[in-house]
Amino acid sequence: MRSSTSVEASIDRLAHRYLDRVVSRGGAGGVWQARLTEFVVFGLKQAWACVFGALLLAVIIAVRLWYPSGAALASNDFLTLSAVAIQVLMVVFRLETLRELRVIVLFHVVGTVMELFKTDVGSWAYEADGVLRIGAVPLFSGFMYAAVGSYMVRVFWLFDLRFDRYPRRWITALVAAGIYVNFFSHHFILDFRWVLLAAVVLVYGRCVMHFRVFRKRFRMPILLAFLLVALFIWFAENIGTWSRAWLYPNQLEGWQAVSIDKLLAWFLLMIISVVLVAWVYKPEPPEGSHGSPSAVHAGRNEA
């Protein structure tokens, strides 16, 4: 795992100082304060992992509220240039490595291809302004998928993710490929999303994700983790459509909440995201479990 940035180190250092004071004072409330500290650190690190998407969403909201309508630079072009600047700063300040940037660029390409198709068939639409675009798709749209990729690669090492009974990667790749194809093919043939959802449950159902927040490691069924992230993206999508960065057909006459049906689409998209990141960071078992480096080392010592 790569070294922490100054922000992450500061979060842990401040939490350590706080808990050391709590322990030194003693008292029955120490356990609850320790748990609350773990929760606060979890929230802070999650927010830090979302920095790409949060900054991009902040720019989208700012454009909706304050960008002048008669500006020489179209709002969509401003969003694209802002997204490029955020991405450059992420690399310059070493919040992302060049290795991670490759998979984030792949997210960008995969997302842009889907955007080109989906806008063509009328699934959603963008304002027709600006020159930094491919057809009806402004280039900033790909950065929204890249923001998901950025979160995935950052949370992987930020929480030192480990996986118990992670499925074989070639199997997950087949499921992800089926999901991606279905995003296109369901416009012409049967929609297999429920079949694909069943496949995801079958493939990942036994997998448990282990993660370190601060002092302790926790565990969670990976399917629940997928659902929570998809729910968070769905909330962000509601903000994006309210900002009129893009609109679904039922929002053209006036904004309304994004259909909850989109939550399933984001859940399935999560599988594509996880598979792409798994080719950068190979999923490893928890420390001390059978097959992990520490378990192998311990076995050799016993021999």
Side-chain angles (χ1 to χ4, degrees):
M1 305 301 291
R2 76 187 195 184
S3 59
S4 298
T5 66
S6 59
V7 173
E8 294 138 27
S10 296
I11 292 173
D12 285 345
R13 185 168 56 252
L14 291 172
H16 271 295
R17 290 177 179 174
Y18 173 75
L19 286 183
D20 287 343
R21 289 198 300 268
V22 170
V23 171
S24 65
R25 290 198 302 264
V31 174
W32 288 104
Q33 287 176 305
R35 292 176 178 174
L36 179 60
T37 301
E38 290 279 355
F39 180 76
V40 171
V41 171
F42 175 79
L44 291 174
K45 288 186 175 180
Q46 283 285 347
W48 185 234
C50 294
V51 63
F52 189 140
L55 290 174
L56 183 57
L57 193 60
V59 174
I60 289 174
I61 294 173
V63 166
R64 165 67 190 274
L65 295 177
W66 299 299
Y67 199 77
S69 58
L73 181 66
S75 59
N76 281 346
D77 290 346
F78 177 80
L79 286 173
T80 298
L81 295 176
S82 299
V84 172
I86 293 171
Q87 182 63 83
V88 170
L89 291 174
M90 293 286 289
V91 176
V92 169
F93 287 100
R94 299 182 179 180
L95 302 182
E96 292 169 358
T97 66
L98 292 178
R99 180 187 181 195
E100 292 164 348
L101 182 60
R102 291 199 299 268
V103 74
I104 292 170
V105 170
L106 185 57
F107 271 86
H108 196 297
V109 173
V110 168
T112 299
V113 170
M114 190 165 68
E115 288 283 335
L116 288 168
F117 177 82
K118 289 291 189 177
T119 53
D120 186 63
V121 297
S123 296
W124 55 78
Y126 293 90
E127 296 286 350
D129 65 346
V131 296
L132 300 178
R133 58 195 301 115
I134 302 176
V137 180
L139 295 182
F140 80 84
S141 65
F143 285 95
M144 293 187 290
Y145 296 88
V148 176
S150 175
Y151 168 79
M152 294 298 296
V153 296
R154 285 170 57 74
V155 79
F156 202 103
W157 57 263
L158 189 58
F159 290 94
D160 188 18
L161 298 188
R162 304 296 176 102
F163 303 90
D164 193 14
R165 296 187 295 273
Y166 192 87
R168 295 184 181 275
R169 287 191 294 172
W170 68 267
I171 296 177
T172 64
L174 289 177
V175 174
I179 291 171
Y180 191 65
V181 169
N182 190 70
F183 276 120
F184 299 89
S185 64
H186 83 267
H187 290 278
F188 309 106
I189 60 176
L190 292 176
D191 188 350
F192 291 98
R193 70 181 62 191
W194 293 106
V195 176
L196 292 166
L197 177 62
V200 170
V201 173
L202 180 64
V203 170
Y204 287 96
R206 297 174 65 247
C207 182
V208 177
M209 182 180 72
H210 297 248
F211 58 99
R212 180 183 299 280
V213 175
F214 174 44
R215 289 183 169 181
K216 297 181 180 180
R217 293 195 71 89
F218 299 87
R219 51 187 296 171
M220 175 189 297
I222 197 170
L223 290 176
L224 177 58
F226 292 163
L227 178 60
L228 291 175
V229 175
L231 184 62
F232 183 81
I233 296 174
W234 179 79
F235 281 121
E237 186 178 31
N238 274 281
I239 296 175
T241 55
W242 170 83
S243 302
R244 300 188 67 86
W246 72 96
L247 293 172
Y248 289 102
N250 64 329
Q251 297 174 324
L252 295 178
E253 300 300 325
W255 184 84
Q256 53 185 294
V258 176
S259 170
I260 196 66
D261 293 341
K262 297 297 180 182
L263 186 59
L264 175 58
W266 282 114
F267 181 88
L268 293 176
L269 186 65
M270 284 300 304
I271 308 306
I272 300 175
S273 305
V274 170
V275 168
L276 290 176
V277 174
W279 290 103
V280 176
Y281 292 123
K282 182 181 178 181
E284 298 287 350
E287 293 182 0
S289 66
H290 178 70
S292 70
S294 57
V296 172
H297 182 70
R300 288 175 178 171
N301 289 340
E302 293 174 2

